[in-house]
Amino acid sequence: MLLTLALAPLTALVLCTAPRQITAPRQITAPRIGAGAPPPRQAPDDEVERLFRAATQGRAVVRPQAARRLVELGARGEARLLEEAGPDGVGLAALGPPILEALGAARSAELRALLWSTLQQADFPWRPSSARALAERPKASEAARFVPLLSDALGEVRAAAAEGLMRSHGPLPPLRQALEDEDERVRRAAAVALVRAGDRRPLWLLAEELVREDRWFERPSGQAARILAARALERLGVDLHDLDPSAEPATPASRAAHAALAADLTAELGPRPVLLPQQRAGSSRPARLGLELRSCREGELWLRWTAGDQLLVGQGNPVALDLPAGTTARLEELLANGLEAIGTQRMFGTPGCDLEQLLLRGARSETLLLVKGPEPVPGLRPEALSRAWSALAASLPEETGLDGTDPRLRDLRARALRILASLGGPVEPAGTEQPR
Amino acid sequence: MRAVLLTLASLLAPLTSPSEVLAPEPTMDRNTSPEAAEEPIDVSIDWLTSLDYRRGMRLPDEILALDGQEVRISGYMAIGTLEGADVFELVPESCECGRSKVQHFIEVTLSEDRVRFMPGRIELTGKFSVGEVEEDGFVVSLYRLEVKALP
């Protein structure tokens, strides 16, 4: 197994949120934003520099803490960050997610303006961090700026926008619309935001999450969702009647707790509303192969192909689309051949914010990872896999007839191709026929 | 979450009556069956890592109750794990985008093995410890697991 992190610190292992290569602090001589002339360079502030180094070059686990303390220093720390960001904010990308997220507590109007500007840049690699920072302590005057972010390509940005909209006392209708989002993180954030804003009906959505039983292959995604929903409901002061969200929903104790909670909600809010497919709890749906696609610029997509030739789109309660008979078996064969051709290596690239993961759980069990940062990496996906990936893409319907009703199917193939292109590289859809 | 608390509390108090345990978890046997005394406690990594943590806070009792216990936990090696080391971070998902804080991982130490990167979900059993460990004024781990070897 080849890993390309030989130079990385031993313990700096969680990498998705932090670029591995942090450029050395730049010497900025351009005027600061809002300043008429370059400020005189002051003597180095040891504490500021120590925290700055720890926030940008320290262990992954240390960076968020150092970044927060740097910002908490107030004007001293903020001046250092402004200097590093540069007048146009270009330097913000090199500072990395921990510092960006800590900027949510900054008092500097210039830093806040720079954060907003990063959200307007489609190529800025850490837009979720910028959005979370801005949503932490938003001003009422910023409420309207969060509304368009609820339609962002990135679920993490949309979820942060929901929180920002609530905290800035923005309009509620966009939040209600966000309850229909395809991404469970966005729906959960919108539900919590609405409840905190006084509309308690979305408690039903959080309660529905408590009965999820779905899995993403080996990962108990339903259990994770139950735990997050339970924590959210507890923070909202809802009595869970001793529910253990780790336990399966079908246990007698879980059932009793769900029933008691449902009775409470019915008494307070009226009958349980009809939920949309993406809002409903899902069950376990075994699949033979899957693609987990996470692009820090184009968004995310979860696709599975079942033994019964169905395409499952999304997590939780996925959309199931019928595929031509034999599709999954042919894809499996192509993938098996491709994996055999590349030998034993199963991870390619250098960890960053992008992930393309193939899971094969049929006749053979294989996991293949392509990982990278925001920059394109030509040739990341091995050529030997091209044919299989083309067939995977071709199996995605161009038109489902449901595009208008289920957000998970909107422009499915086009979206998948965009995300794939931003990850392992462009994919040209082509059929699954075997060569003669 | 109280059910979890009570279940764990029952594990730690051998004289506790099984009737006080709310859920019929397998771990109940630990109070009554000597053969099952070594059965580890199953713990969800999602439950641990979704904690709202702030430095210096008192951790919930149900998490503190796991300190020093033999636990069984499943998760993923953090992408970027360095092969050949004796320590790695166990995380809830194969990609941990947006989750790099100290409560978001379990620091796993291998006592009789070296790390080889495994891209799939792995199940580990070992001695769990809870609490802030600091280096240079920063908290560098909250959850730790000592295991002999990788599966």
Side-chain angles (χ1 to χ4, degrees):
Chain A
M1 182 77 63
L2 290 178
L3 285 178
T4 54
L5 288 180
L7 300 178
L10 260 182
T11 48
L13 301 174
V14 178
L15 303 170
C16 286
T17 60
R20 303 306 304 163
Q21 305 293 330
I22 297 293
T23 55
R26 299 182 307 153
Q27 299 300 312
I28 301 292
T29 55
R32 290 189 307 168
I33 291 175
R41 176 87 190 200
Q42 297 179 341
D45 184 323
D46 288 347
E47 179 65 358
V48 167
E49 291 307 315
R50 183 183 80 87
L51 291 174
F52 182 80
R53 277 196 304 276
T56 53
Q57 301 168 46
R59 292 176 55 178
V61 66
V62 162
R63 292 181 189 187
Q65 301 170 64
R68 181 63 66 167
R69 285 189 216 170
L70 184 62
V71 170
E72 286 170 354
L73 289 176
R76 293 157 62 204
E78 292 178 10
R80 179 70 177 88
L81 294 173
L82 269 171
E83 179 186 54
E84 198 64 26
D88 51 7
V90 168
L92 282 176
L95 292 177
I99 284 186
L100 286 172
E101 299 213 14
L103 289 180
R107 295 172 192 160
S108 160
E110 292 104 315
L111 281 171
R112 197 158 182 89
L114 290 176
L115 275 181
W116 276 112
S117 74
T118 64
L119 284 173
Q120 308 307 317
Q121 303 165 31
D123 279 348
F124 188 77
W126 317 120
R127 295 176 70 255
S129 296
S130 296
R132 280 192 287 270
L134 289 164
E136 187 179 323
R137 298 179 190 175
K139 299 170 181 167
S141 60
E142 293 175 319
R145 303 182 77 172
F146 286 109
V147 175
L149 294 179
L150 289 170
S151 304
D152 196 89
L154 305 183
E156 288 182 274
V157 171
R158 299 198 299 275
E163 293 182 13
L165 195 56
M166 177 268 293
R167 292 194 181 118
S168 58
H169 306 288
L172 298 188
L175 281 176
R176 294 197 178 99
Q177 187 66 36
L179 295 174
E180 301 178 9
D181 197 283
E182 65 177 300
D183 189 311
E184 65 191 63
R185 295 167 300 187
V186 182
R187 295 196 302 270
R188 192 162 46 237
V192 170
L194 283 164
V195 174
R196 291 203 182 283
D199 179 356
R200 292 175 62 82
R201 286 172 298 176
L203 287 174
W204 277 116
L205 265 69
L206 296 172
E208 179 75 5
E209 292 278 290
L210 296 175
V211 295
R212 277 180 56 175
E213 296 179 297
D214 51 285
R215 303 180 74 87
W216 173 261
F217 296 94
E218 296 81 20
R219 182 164 58 84
S221 47
Q223 183 193 55
R226 296 196 304 268
I227 289 168
L228 291 173
R231 289 206 188 278
L233 285 163
E234 283 185 330
R235 283 194 293 268
L236 293 168
V238 174
D239 182 358
L240 295 182
H241 298 277
D242 294 336
L243 175 71
D244 174 3
S246 301
E248 289 300 315
T251 64
S254 295
R255 284 178 183 275
H258 296 146
L261 174 59
D264 290 349
L265 295 183
T266 302
E268 179 188 350
L269 305 168
R272 175 183 179 277
V274 176
L275 300 178
L276 296 168
Q278 67 268 32
Q279 298 169 330
R280 286 183 218 139
S283 56
S284 183
R285 303 287 293 266
R288 303 276 289 190
L289 60 105
L291 272 181
E292 177 178 345
L293 307 175
R294 297 175 186 257
S295 163
C296 57
R297 287 175 177 159
E298 296 291 348
E300 300 167 340
L301 206 49
W302 284 265
L303 304 167
R304 283 172 284 177
W305 289 258
T306 72
D309 289 315
Q310 281 197 318
L311 172 67
L312 305 179
V313 182
Q315 299 192 89
N317 182 36
V319 192
L321 299 172
D322 291 330
L323 299 171
T327 298
T328 300
R330 286 196 293 274
L331 290 171
E332 279 186 272
E333 188 178 347
L334 284 170
L335 288 164
N337 292 341
L339 290 171
E340 197 164 316
I342 64 173
T344 58
Q345 187 174 351
R346 291 295 177 264
M347 180 170 166
F348 296 83
T350 302
C353 58
D354 282 352
L355 172 94
E356 181 173 316
Q357 181 166 209
L358 168 77
L359 299 108
L360 261 184
R361 296 294 184 270
R364 53 197 286 180
S365 180
E366 297 268 13
T367 301
L368 177 84
L369 286 169
L370 309 180
V371 291
K372 61 184 272 295
E375 300 306 319
V377 179
L380 177 62
R381 190 184 300 116
E383 180 64 28
L385 296 171
S386 294
R387 195 151 172 270
W389 251 251
S390 291
L392 285 168
S395 73
L396 303 177
E398 289 184 273
E399 293 288 335
T400 64
L402 298 169
D403 297 34
T405 58
D406 194 315
R408 295 169 293 184
L409 297 178
R410 201 167 295 141
D411 302 323
L412 178 62
R413 185 192 280 195
R415 190 153 52 117
L417 291 177
R418 278 200 307 274
I419 296 174
L420 284 166
S422 74
L423 297 171
V427 174
E428 188 68 33
T432 59
E433 297 79 16
Q434 296 295 305
R436 293 181 183 276
Chain B
M1 301 282 178
R2 218 177 95 202
V4 177
L5 168 62
L6 292 176
T7 302
L8 290 170
S10 72
L11 296 175
L12 301 175
L15 298 178
T16 302
S17 161
S19 64
E20 293 176 25
V21 180
L22 294 183
E25 301 288 341
T27 46
M28 278 181 66
D29 294 340
R30 200 167 163 183
N31 299 320
T32 56
S33 166
E35 300 82 51
E38 300 304 317
E39 186 67 18
I41 304 168
D42 286 311
V43 178
S44 160
I45 191 170
D46 291 293
W47 177 63
L48 290 174
T49 57
S50 59
L51 175 73
D52 282 335
Y53 164 77
R54 293 178 310 284
R55 185 182 182 183
M57 68 179 272
R58 178 179 164 79
L59 297 176
D61 288 342
E62 51 274 51
I63 290 179
L64 291 174
L66 294 171
D67 190 48
Q69 299 295 307
E70 191 81 354
V71 309
R72 181 166 47 217
I73 194 161
S74 296
Y76 297 83
M77 280 188 181
I79 292 178
T81 291
L82 191 66
E83 295 202 319
D86 60 359
V87 64
F88 68 93
E89 293 179 0
L90 190 73
V91 293
E93 290 190 74
S94 54
C95 177
E96 282 307 293
C97 295
R99 291 163 60 94
S100 64
K101 294 181 179 169
V102 70
Q103 71 270 31
H104 292 157
F105 67 90
I106 297 166
E107 185 180 272
V108 178
T109 303
L110 303 173
S111 60
E112 299 175 9
D113 199 358
R114 285 292 180 268
V115 175
R116 61 186 189 284
F117 183 71
M118 304 171 75
R121 190 171 177 88
I122 55 175
E123 181 182 281
L124 300 171
T125 300
K127 186 178 178 185
F128 192 71
S129 65
V130 180
E132 296 170 345
V133 169
E134 292 193 17
E135 284 179 15
D136 298 328
F138 297 105
V139 181
V140 294
S141 76
L142 191 62
Y143 306 127
R144 291 161 298 280
L145 185 69
E146 292 177 32
V147 302
K148 285 186 179 175
L150 292 169

